[in-house]
Amino acid sequence: MADKIKMTTSLVEMDGDEMTRVIWKMIKDILLTPYIDLKTEYYDLGLEYRNETKDQVTIDSAEATKKYGVAVKCATITPNADRVKEYNLSEMWKSPNGTIRAILDGTVFRTPIIVKGITPYIPTWTKPITIARHAYGDVYKNTEMAVDGGSKAELVVTKADGSEERSLIHDFATPGIIQGLHNIDKSIGSFARACFNFALDSKQDLWFATKDTISKKYDHRFKDIFNEIYAAEYKEKFEAAGIEYFYTLIDDAVARVVRSEGGYIWACKNYDGDVMSDMVATAYGSLAMMTSVLVSPDGVYEYEAAHGTVQRHYYKHLKGEVTSTNSVATLFAWTGALRKRGELDQLPELSAFADKLEKATIQTIEEGVMTGDLYLLSKLEGKKKVNTEEFLVAVNERLQAMM
Ligand code: NAP
Ligand code: MG
């Protein structure tokens, strides 16, 4: 075999939990280290080590990502009460993704991987739709109250000079509920820049939508910030790249998305992004074919799969049973990170390897070799279900032929 591909700068590698941790090692052993002199700065984000370090390892991995510019992350457990017992945790540690996102001030872009044989539920979607979700504020950082009848609810702001501004929410004759939301101009601006940069990077149009006709101050602020930043910093770059920024009302956006052929980025407020990304993922067929990248406004990239640690398969694996778990999204997290590393370090060989590995993966599925989840969806004749490892070996056969 030819010499291995060399890397000049390290990639931040964030290992994870359960079935995806098993897949992580298989991907490296079967498809990466035979071809690349892999240079990574390794952080073990598996729950045991997070607990041992009191979650410091998560913070360190995010700081390293800032330093090196590119990271690849395995799915991780977000602890709940069951997990605290299962892993004997000293605390219910926060979601690593949330911690990393907060440190990088990033926006998450989710894109489906499209393969022949798996038709989206909306058959006109022949190109991927990338959802960008604003990951700060709104209903996710709300304050809620249940109110008794006879109460008066007001919005009160105490300013720096001590003066108050008040606005009536509702006079409650009978019991009810209230909710206080907020967002921050700076966060909306970071979100906008991450979206504009990603659109330029991937040469795709950017759509953004809110309910500004009803929410004339709150949602309208999102629209204004996007428009101002676009006009001041991106309009000329977009025109030069031949792409478009397009704002519309959320209702109109939904209608247009359904009728579209895909091939653009849809920027969503936090709640819209939560709901619409599940809708889009389901419509394209499989969560296991959805990639995800966190992009910071200053251009730091962290790649991962959109799915979780596939716990049910892991328990089968522990019992010694063979699983057929889909590794494609995790594999594409690696190729995304390697390609970006190649671009930043001017290593065309490394980027070309990432392209080939993706091609080999898609070719494998399109030739009818796939894991159980896709086997159920694929309309290919003569399709064959393989186990977790057999799939990676089948990809490697095709990759070898390309090298
Ligand atoms: P999940 O791991 O995404 O799996 C849910 C179900 O979807 C699986 O049981 C499986 O269905 C199917 N599935 C997902 N990925 C698959 C793949 N690669 N191949 C084949 N089937 C796949 O979600 P979960 O079970 O709700 O969560 C498990 C853990 O993941 C939780 O501890 C959660 O905190 C964590 N999580 C982490 C992230 C992240 O790190 N980004 C995201 C979400 C969840 P069948 O069982 O029917 O085959
Ligand atoms: Mg959701």
Side-chain angles (χ1 to χ4, degrees), residues 78 87 144 165 170 219-220 244 300 314 332 346 376 389:
T78 298
Y87 284 83
E144 304 185 326
E165 189 179 332
H170 192 67
D219 277 21
H220 212 287
E244 196 188 0
V300 164
Y314 181 59
F332 273 57
Q346 274 141 28
L376 290 174
E389 188 171 355

Side-chain angles (χ1 to χ4, degrees), residues 11-18 20-22 24 28 40-62 64 72-77 87 93 96 100:
L11 191 66
V12 175
E13 174 183 352
M14 303 168 174
D15 208 343
D17 287 300
E18 302 195 310
T20 40
R21 188 180 179 101
V22 175
W24 194 260
K28 285 175 66 180
T40 73
E41 178 136 324
Y42 179 86
Y43 291 87
D44 183 1
L45 266 52
L47 187 50
E48 276 156 31
Y49 195 63
R50 271 185 277 149
N51 190 53
E52 224 174 274
T53 61
K54 300 201 171 307
D55 211 22
Q56 185 62 38
V57 65
T58 307
I59 295 164
D60 291 346
S61 73
V72 57
K73 180 181 171 292
C74 181
T76 46
I77 292 169
Y87 284 83
W93 305 109
I100 295 164

Side-chain angles (χ1 to χ4, degrees), residues 17 20 37 42 62-63 103 106 110 142 167-168 204 212 238 242 255 260 277 328 340 356 358 360 365:
D17 287 300
T20 40
D37 252 338
Y42 179 86
E63 292 299 339
I103 292 173
R110 277 179 152 200
N142 68 350
S167 180
L168 178 70
Q204 297 183 89
D212 64 292
F238 268 53
S260 77
S277 63
V328 173
K340 181 54 81 180
K356 281 180 197 152
E358 288 183 0
I365 300 167

